[in-house]
Amino acid sequence: LGAKSLSAALQAAARQGNASAAEMIFRKLAILGSSNLDCRNLLLLAFANAGSPLQASNCLEQLKADGLEPDRFSFRHVLRSCTEAGATRHAELWFNKMISAKAEVGSLEYNLILRACAKHGEGRRAIAWISRMAAASEDPDTFSFNAVLSAHAAEGNKESALHLLESMEDGLTG
């Protein structure tokens, strides 16, 4: 198979979250000298869809070691892998690395952190992140508020969830 066919196969494996197939295809592309940033990002997407934060983290570190500069999508896929696994602290670590690398950060990246908080039932942490989001001039959206409410619900904190709903009605975030 040529590089074009392998790239198409890598894209399909990535979308399906088939990390082992994506890794095998990526290795073949690397042998052909076609392991560019786009291919690395597809591999990261496979890890994100598989919910494999350790593999995604290692892949991004290898990307940098190979002299490539990660972009917004590289970091976003690592954040998504952490979110899928409910690895909130790991997601926060990569979010901060994303900031340090001066990659563009937007509401989607904040919402990924908030979703990780929701999966882990970390209401206070979610409030801190939605406040950080607002302080960064990123407008919390329906997904943001839903994640914060879900985090409170997951920890059984009905009073905080009710307070948050009241605050949302008043146009506040916490």
Side-chain angles (χ1 to χ4, degrees):
L1 290 174
K4 195 170 187 174
S5 297
L6 286 170
S7 292
L10 177 59
Q11 187 172 32
R15 288 190 175 166
Q16 294 170 3
N18 189 339
S20 59
E23 284 181 295
M24 181 188 69
I25 296 164
F26 178 79
R27 283 193 293 273
K28 290 179 181 181
L29 280 164
I31 291 168
L32 295 175
S34 297
S35 58
N36 60 24
L37 182 61
D38 290 337
C39 290
R40 300 290 176 109
N41 281 342
L42 285 172
L43 186 55
L44 285 165
L45 176 62
F47 296 138
N49 288 339
S52 301
L54 183 59
Q55 289 178 293
S57 298
N58 291 340
C59 181
L60 196 138
E61 291 295 351
Q62 186 61 51
L63 180 154
K64 292 190 303 188
D66 290 344
L68 295 171
E69 191 67 36
D71 63 10
R72 180 182 194 180
F73 300 104
S74 309
F75 284 104
R76 184 181 290 166
H77 295 322
V78 175
L79 288 174
R80 261 203 55 239
S81 71
C82 296
T83 297
E84 294 301 321
T88 309
R89 285 172 183 75
H90 201 70
E92 290 171 334
L93 171 81
W94 279 102
F95 184 93
N96 291 329
K97 287 183 179 188
M98 188 176 186
I99 298 285
S100 295
K102 299 189 181 351
E104 184 182 347
V105 174
S107 61
L108 181 66
E109 288 76 22
Y110 281 97
N111 283 339
L112 287 168
I113 300 289
L114 290 169
R115 279 184 45 213
C117 292
K119 279 192 168 203
H120 226 264
E122 297 180 283
R124 287 186 184 180
R125 180 172 250 117
I127 290 289
W129 274 98
I130 203 168
S131 297
R132 183 174 172 181
M133 181 181 190
S137 299
E138 290 293 335
D139 292 327
D141 57 19
T142 304
F143 296 106
S144 311
F145 289 113
N146 188 27
V148 174
L149 289 170
S150 294
H152 281 84
E155 66 185 9
N157 195 339
K158 295 177 186 175
E159 293 80 25
S160 291
L162 182 59
H163 175 70
L164 180 63
L165 281 172
E166 291 168 354
S167 296
M168 287 166 53
E169 288 175 358
D170 295 337
L172 303 173
T173 61

